[in-house]
Structure formats: structure tokens, C-alpha cells
Short mmCIF file of all heavy atoms in Angstrom, two decimals:
data_model
loop_
_atom_site.label_atom_id
_atom_site.label_comp_id
_atom_site.label_asym_id
_atom_site.label_seq_id
_atom_site.Cartn_x
_atom_site.Cartn_y
_atom_site.Cartn_z
N VAL A 1 0.89 -1.13 -0.06
CA VAL A 1 0.06 0.01 0.02
C VAL A 1 0.86 1.30 -0.03
O VAL A 1 1.78 1.31 0.78
CB VAL A 1 -0.96 0.01 1.24
CG1 VAL A 1 -1.78 1.29 1.29
CG2 VAL A 1 -1.80 -1.24 1.18
N SER A 2 0.67 2.10 -0.86
CA SER A 2 1.48 3.33 -1.08
C SER A 2 1.06 4.33 0.09
O SER A 2 0.04 4.36 0.59
CB SER A 2 1.09 4.02 -2.38
OG SER A 2 1.57 5.37 -2.45
N ILE A 3 2.11 5.15 0.38
CA ILE A 3 1.90 6.13 1.45
C ILE A 3 0.86 7.22 0.94
O ILE A 3 0.27 7.92 1.72
CB ILE A 3 3.19 6.87 1.90
CG1 ILE A 3 3.91 7.60 0.76
CG2 ILE A 3 4.07 5.87 2.54
CD1 ILE A 3 5.03 8.43 1.21
N CYS A 4 0.75 7.29 -0.38
CA CYS A 4 -0.25 8.23 -0.96
C CYS A 4 -1.77 7.96 -0.52
O CYS A 4 -2.62 8.74 -0.52
CB CYS A 4 -0.19 8.21 -2.49
SG CYS A 4 1.33 8.76 -3.11
N ALA A 5 -1.95 6.70 -0.07
CA ALA A 5 -3.28 6.30 0.38
C ALA A 5 -3.72 7.04 1.61
O ALA A 5 -4.80 7.02 2.00
CB ALA A 5 -3.40 4.80 0.66
N PHE A 6 -2.74 7.70 2.28
CA PHE A 6 -2.96 8.38 3.55
C PHE A 6 -2.71 9.92 3.43
O PHE A 6 -2.56 10.56 4.45
CB PHE A 6 -2.11 7.80 4.64
CG PHE A 6 -2.30 6.28 4.75
CD1 PHE A 6 -1.38 5.41 4.18
CD2 PHE A 6 -3.44 5.80 5.28
CE1 PHE A 6 -1.73 4.05 4.20
CE2 PHE A 6 -3.77 4.43 5.29
CZ PHE A 6 -2.89 3.55 4.76
N ASP A 7 -2.69 10.38 2.21
CA ASP A 7 -2.50 11.79 2.02
C ASP A 7 -3.82 12.53 2.13
O ASP A 7 -4.92 12.00 1.78
CB ASP A 7 -2.08 12.16 0.48
CG ASP A 7 -0.61 11.82 0.24
OD1 ASP A 7 0.12 11.57 1.29
OD2 ASP A 7 -0.23 11.72 -0.93
N LEU A 8 -3.78 13.71 2.66
CA LEU A 8 -5.01 14.60 2.65
C LEU A 8 -5.01 15.26 1.26
O LEU A 8 -4.02 15.63 0.61
CB LEU A 8 -4.76 15.72 3.65
CG LEU A 8 -4.72 15.40 5.16
CD1 LEU A 8 -4.36 16.54 5.97
CD2 LEU A 8 -6.09 14.90 5.51
N ARG A 9 -6.29 15.24 0.72
CA ARG A 9 -6.50 15.82 -0.51
C ARG A 9 -6.70 17.37 -0.45
O ARG A 9 -7.74 17.87 0.08
CB ARG A 9 -7.62 15.16 -1.27
CG ARG A 9 -7.32 13.70 -1.61
CD ARG A 9 -8.50 13.00 -2.23
NE ARG A 9 -9.58 12.91 -1.24
CZ ARG A 9 -10.74 12.30 -1.42
NH1 ARG A 9 -10.96 11.69 -2.55
NH2 ARG A 9 -11.65 12.23 -0.50
N LEU A 10 -5.59 18.07 -0.70
CA LEU A 10 -5.66 19.52 -0.43
C LEU A 10 -6.07 20.32 -1.71
O LEU A 10 -6.26 21.57 -1.63
CB LEU A 10 -4.30 20.01 -0.04
CG LEU A 10 -3.73 19.35 1.25
CD1 LEU A 10 -2.31 19.76 1.54
CD2 LEU A 10 -4.61 19.56 2.41
N ASN A 11 -6.25 19.68 -2.78
CA ASN A 11 -6.57 20.21 -4.09
C ASN A 11 -8.06 20.32 -4.30
O ASN A 11 -8.57 20.45 -5.44
CB ASN A 11 -5.98 19.53 -5.27
CG ASN A 11 -6.36 18.06 -5.35
OD1 ASN A 11 -6.86 17.52 -4.37
ND2 ASN A 11 -6.13 17.39 -6.42
N ARG A 12 -8.82 20.32 -3.31
CA ARG A 12 -10.29 20.37 -3.37
C ARG A 12 -10.73 21.76 -3.08
O ARG A 12 -10.00 22.59 -2.55
CB ARG A 12 -10.94 19.41 -2.37
CG ARG A 12 -10.46 18.02 -2.65
CD ARG A 12 -11.34 17.04 -2.03
NE ARG A 12 -11.15 15.84 -2.76
CZ ARG A 12 -12.19 14.97 -3.01
NH1 ARG A 12 -13.36 15.27 -2.71
NH2 ARG A 12 -11.96 13.91 -3.78
N THR A 13 -12.01 22.05 -3.37
CA THR A 13 -12.59 23.38 -3.04
C THR A 13 -12.48 23.67 -1.65
O THR A 13 -11.99 24.76 -1.19
CB THR A 13 -14.05 23.45 -3.50
OG1 THR A 13 -14.14 23.10 -4.87
CG2 THR A 13 -14.70 24.85 -3.28
N ILE A 14 -12.70 22.71 -0.78
CA ILE A 14 -12.56 22.71 0.63
C ILE A 14 -11.52 21.67 0.90
O ILE A 14 -11.85 20.41 0.93
CB ILE A 14 -13.83 22.47 1.45
CG1 ILE A 14 -14.85 23.59 1.12
CG2 ILE A 14 -13.58 22.48 2.94
CD1 ILE A 14 -16.23 23.41 1.68
N PRO A 15 -10.31 21.98 1.29
CA PRO A 15 -9.25 20.87 1.46
C PRO A 15 -9.71 20.01 2.61
O PRO A 15 -10.32 20.45 3.63
CB PRO A 15 -8.02 21.73 1.81
CG PRO A 15 -8.27 23.17 1.31
CD PRO A 15 -9.77 23.32 1.37
N GLU A 16 -9.26 18.75 2.56
CA GLU A 16 -9.63 17.78 3.62
C GLU A 16 -8.86 18.14 4.88
O GLU A 16 -7.66 18.48 4.86
CB GLU A 16 -9.18 16.32 3.12
CG GLU A 16 -10.09 15.81 2.10
CD GLU A 16 -9.76 14.44 1.74
OE1 GLU A 16 -8.57 14.00 1.80
OE2 GLU A 16 -10.68 13.62 1.40
N GLU A 17 -9.51 17.85 5.95
CA GLU A 17 -8.89 17.94 7.29
C GLU A 17 -8.46 16.62 7.82
O GLU A 17 -7.62 16.53 8.78
CB GLU A 17 -9.86 18.65 8.24
CG GLU A 17 -10.08 20.09 7.83
CD GLU A 17 -11.03 20.75 8.92
OE1 GLU A 17 -11.20 20.22 10.01
OE2 GLU A 17 -11.61 21.74 8.59
N PHE A 18 -9.05 15.51 7.33
CA PHE A 18 -8.76 14.24 7.81
C PHE A 18 -8.86 13.17 6.68
O PHE A 18 -9.56 13.45 5.64
CB PHE A 18 -9.74 13.79 9.01
CG PHE A 18 -11.12 13.93 8.62
CD1 PHE A 18 -11.75 12.68 8.09
CD2 PHE A 18 -11.89 14.99 8.94
CE1 PHE A 18 -13.11 12.78 7.71
CE2 PHE A 18 -13.27 15.06 8.66
CZ PHE A 18 -13.86 13.91 8.02
N VAL A 19 -8.29 12.03 6.85
CA VAL A 19 -8.36 10.85 5.96
C VAL A 19 -9.50 10.02 6.55
O VAL A 19 -9.52 9.64 7.67
CB VAL A 19 -7.04 10.12 5.96
CG1 VAL A 19 -7.21 8.85 4.96
CG2 VAL A 19 -5.90 10.96 5.52
N SER A 20 -10.43 9.74 5.62
CA SER A 20 -11.66 8.85 6.02
C SER A 20 -11.36 7.45 6.23
O SER A 20 -10.68 6.80 5.40
CB SER A 20 -12.77 9.11 5.05
OG SER A 20 -13.33 10.33 5.13
N PHE A 21 -11.84 6.86 7.33
CA PHE A 21 -11.85 5.45 7.59
C PHE A 21 -13.16 5.12 8.13
O PHE A 21 -14.10 5.89 8.45
CB PHE A 21 -10.83 5.14 8.76
CG PHE A 21 -9.38 5.05 8.35
CD1 PHE A 21 -8.60 6.22 8.16
CD2 PHE A 21 -8.88 3.85 8.06
CE1 PHE A 21 -7.28 6.13 7.72
CE2 PHE A 21 -7.52 3.69 7.62
CZ PHE A 21 -6.75 4.91 7.46
N PHE A 22 -13.40 3.82 8.36
CA PHE A 22 -14.56 3.32 8.95
C PHE A 22 -14.19 2.32 10.16
O PHE A 22 -13.30 1.55 10.02
CB PHE A 22 -15.49 2.50 8.01
CG PHE A 22 -16.14 3.43 6.97
CD1 PHE A 22 -15.60 3.41 5.70
CD2 PHE A 22 -17.20 4.20 7.25
CE1 PHE A 22 -16.05 4.22 4.69
CE2 PHE A 22 -17.73 5.09 6.21
CZ PHE A 22 -17.06 5.13 5.01
N LEU A 23 -14.86 2.52 11.28
CA LEU A 23 -14.60 1.62 12.34
C LEU A 23 -15.33 0.29 11.97
O LEU A 23 -16.57 0.25 11.76
CB LEU A 23 -15.29 2.16 13.66
CG LEU A 23 -14.96 1.41 14.95
CD1 LEU A 23 -13.48 1.38 15.28
CD2 LEU A 23 -15.69 2.02 16.08
N SER A 24 -14.49 -0.74 11.70
CA SER A 24 -14.99 -1.94 11.17
C SER A 24 -15.72 -2.81 12.32
O SER A 24 -15.19 -2.94 13.34
CB SER A 24 -13.95 -2.74 10.46
OG SER A 24 -12.86 -3.04 11.33
N ARG A 25 -16.89 -3.33 11.88
CA ARG A 25 -17.63 -4.15 12.80
C ARG A 25 -17.76 -5.57 12.29
O ARG A 25 -17.93 -5.73 11.16
CB ARG A 25 -19.07 -3.55 12.97
CG ARG A 25 -19.01 -2.04 13.47
CD ARG A 25 -20.28 -1.32 13.24
NE ARG A 25 -20.58 -1.21 11.82
CZ ARG A 25 -21.55 -0.48 11.28
NH1 ARG A 25 -22.32 0.19 12.07
NH2 ARG A 25 -21.71 -0.41 9.95
N GLY A 26 -17.76 -6.46 13.21
CA GLY A 26 -17.88 -7.80 12.89
C GLY A 26 -17.03 -8.71 13.83
O GLY A 26 -16.06 -8.21 14.45
N ARG A 27 -17.33 -9.97 13.90
CA ARG A 27 -16.57 -10.88 14.70
C ARG A 27 -15.30 -11.35 14.04
O ARG A 27 -14.30 -11.46 14.62
CB ARG A 27 -17.42 -12.05 15.21
CG ARG A 27 -18.57 -11.64 16.07
CD ARG A 27 -19.29 -12.81 16.58
NE ARG A 27 -20.55 -12.37 17.21
CZ ARG A 27 -21.69 -12.94 16.99
NH1 ARG A 27 -21.78 -14.04 16.26
NH2 ARG A 27 -22.73 -12.43 17.51
N SER A 28 -15.51 -11.75 12.87
CA SER A 28 -14.32 -12.29 12.07
C SER A 28 -13.69 -11.29 11.21
O SER A 28 -14.21 -10.17 10.89
CB SER A 28 -14.83 -13.55 11.15
OG SER A 28 -15.61 -12.98 10.15
N ASN A 29 -12.50 -11.59 10.68
CA ASN A 29 -11.78 -10.59 9.83
C ASN A 29 -12.64 -10.45 8.54
O ASN A 29 -12.75 -9.35 8.05
CB ASN A 29 -10.36 -11.20 9.46
CG ASN A 29 -9.34 -10.21 9.31
OD1 ASN A 29 -9.49 -9.05 9.87
ND2 ASN A 29 -8.40 -10.44 8.54
N GLU A 30 -13.19 -11.55 8.04
CA GLU A 30 -14.02 -11.39 6.83
C GLU A 30 -15.25 -10.55 7.04
O GLU A 30 -15.49 -9.67 6.15
CB GLU A 30 -14.54 -12.78 6.35
CG GLU A 30 -15.29 -12.79 5.11
CD GLU A 30 -15.70 -14.11 4.58
OE1 GLU A 30 -15.27 -15.16 5.14
OE2 GLU A 30 -16.43 -14.15 3.55
N GLU A 31 -15.88 -10.65 8.21
CA GLU A 31 -17.06 -9.72 8.50
C GLU A 31 -16.58 -8.34 8.58
O GLU A 31 -17.30 -7.38 8.13
CB GLU A 31 -17.74 -10.17 9.80
CG GLU A 31 -18.50 -11.48 9.62
CD GLU A 31 -19.06 -11.91 11.09
OE1 GLU A 31 -18.60 -11.46 12.07
OE2 GLU A 31 -19.96 -12.85 10.93
N LYS A 32 -15.43 -8.08 9.19
CA LYS A 32 -14.89 -6.69 9.25
C LYS A 32 -14.56 -6.12 7.79
O LYS A 32 -14.97 -4.93 7.52
CB LYS A 32 -13.72 -6.62 10.01
CG LYS A 32 -13.99 -6.82 11.55
CD LYS A 32 -12.71 -6.81 12.35
CE LYS A 32 -13.05 -6.97 13.85
NZ LYS A 32 -11.90 -6.78 14.72
N PHE A 33 -13.99 -6.89 6.98
CA PHE A 33 -13.73 -6.46 5.59
C PHE A 33 -15.08 -6.12 4.90
O PHE A 33 -15.24 -5.12 4.21
CB PHE A 33 -12.93 -7.43 4.80
CG PHE A 33 -11.40 -7.31 4.95
CD1 PHE A 33 -10.74 -8.16 5.87
CD2 PHE A 33 -10.67 -6.37 4.38
CE1 PHE A 33 -9.43 -7.98 6.13
CE2 PHE A 33 -9.33 -6.27 4.58
CZ PHE A 33 -8.67 -7.08 5.48
N GLN A 34 -16.06 -7.00 5.01
CA GLN A 34 -17.32 -6.84 4.30
C GLN A 34 -18.03 -5.60 4.90
O GLN A 34 -18.64 -4.83 4.07
CB GLN A 34 -18.24 -8.04 4.62
CG GLN A 34 -17.71 -9.28 3.82
CD GLN A 34 -18.53 -10.56 4.22
OE1 GLN A 34 -19.19 -10.57 5.32
NE2 GLN A 34 -18.58 -11.55 3.36
N ASP A 35 -17.96 -5.37 6.21
CA ASP A 35 -18.60 -4.24 6.77
C ASP A 35 -17.92 -2.89 6.14
O ASP A 35 -18.63 -1.97 5.83
CB ASP A 35 -18.39 -4.16 8.28
CG ASP A 35 -19.01 -3.03 8.88
OD1 ASP A 35 -20.22 -2.68 8.80
OD2 ASP A 35 -18.23 -2.24 9.60
N VAL A 36 -16.60 -2.86 6.04
CA VAL A 36 -15.97 -1.73 5.52
C VAL A 36 -16.34 -1.55 4.03
O VAL A 36 -16.57 -0.31 3.54
CB VAL A 36 -14.45 -1.78 5.72
CG1 VAL A 36 -13.75 -0.61 4.99
CG2 VAL A 36 -14.10 -1.68 7.25
N LEU A 37 -16.38 -2.58 3.32
CA LEU A 37 -16.83 -2.48 1.98
C LEU A 37 -18.27 -1.86 1.83
O LEU A 37 -18.54 -1.01 1.02
CB LEU A 37 -16.78 -3.85 1.31
CG LEU A 37 -17.27 -3.94 -0.19
CD1 LEU A 37 -16.50 -2.98 -1.15
CD2 LEU A 37 -17.18 -5.36 -0.68
N ARG A 38 -19.23 -2.44 2.60
CA ARG A 38 -20.63 -1.87 2.61
C ARG A 38 -20.61 -0.41 2.95
O ARG A 38 -21.26 0.37 2.29
CB ARG A 38 -21.43 -2.66 3.56
CG ARG A 38 -22.07 -3.89 3.14
CD ARG A 38 -23.17 -4.42 4.02
NE ARG A 38 -22.61 -4.97 5.19
CZ ARG A 38 -22.21 -6.15 5.45
NH1 ARG A 38 -22.16 -7.07 4.43
NH2 ARG A 38 -21.69 -6.50 6.60
N GLN A 39 -19.86 0.05 3.96
CA GLN A 39 -19.84 1.43 4.32
C GLN A 39 -19.17 2.25 3.22
O GLN A 39 -19.71 3.35 2.93
CB GLN A 39 -19.00 1.61 5.57
CG GLN A 39 -19.64 1.02 6.90
CD GLN A 39 -20.88 1.64 7.21
OE1 GLN A 39 -21.22 2.78 7.00
NE2 GLN A 39 -21.85 0.79 7.70
N SER A 40 -18.09 1.72 2.64
CA SER A 40 -17.46 2.50 1.50
C SER A 40 -18.42 2.62 0.37
O SER A 40 -18.54 3.69 -0.31
CB SER A 40 -16.20 1.75 1.13
OG SER A 40 -15.32 1.71 2.14
N GLU A 41 -19.12 1.57 0.00
CA GLU A 41 -20.01 1.60 -1.15
C GLU A 41 -21.16 2.58 -0.99
O GLU A 41 -21.77 3.12 -1.89
CB GLU A 41 -20.63 0.19 -1.40
CG GLU A 41 -19.51 -0.73 -2.12
CD GLU A 41 -20.08 -2.02 -2.39
OE1 GLU A 41 -20.91 -2.65 -1.61
OE2 GLU A 41 -19.66 -2.64 -3.43
#
């Protein structure tokens, strides 16, 4: 994973203040990945 994945996007009309993540929910690793995918979509 590139360090660019954690850059703030400053070239926007309103520059970002934070990098977005989701608190993943689920018991298993697979459930956590699925949860983040659903939230992202």
C-alpha cells in the first residue's frame, strides 16, 4: 500500500482535514472487511 493512500487531498474546493476510515464491525476478519466494503459503497 502506497503512502499516498494516507494523503490529505488539499486540491479540493474545501481541502480535507482528515483521511476517512470506518470503524469496522464484525466478529471475524471477513465480516470486518465486508462491513468496511458496505460502508465504503
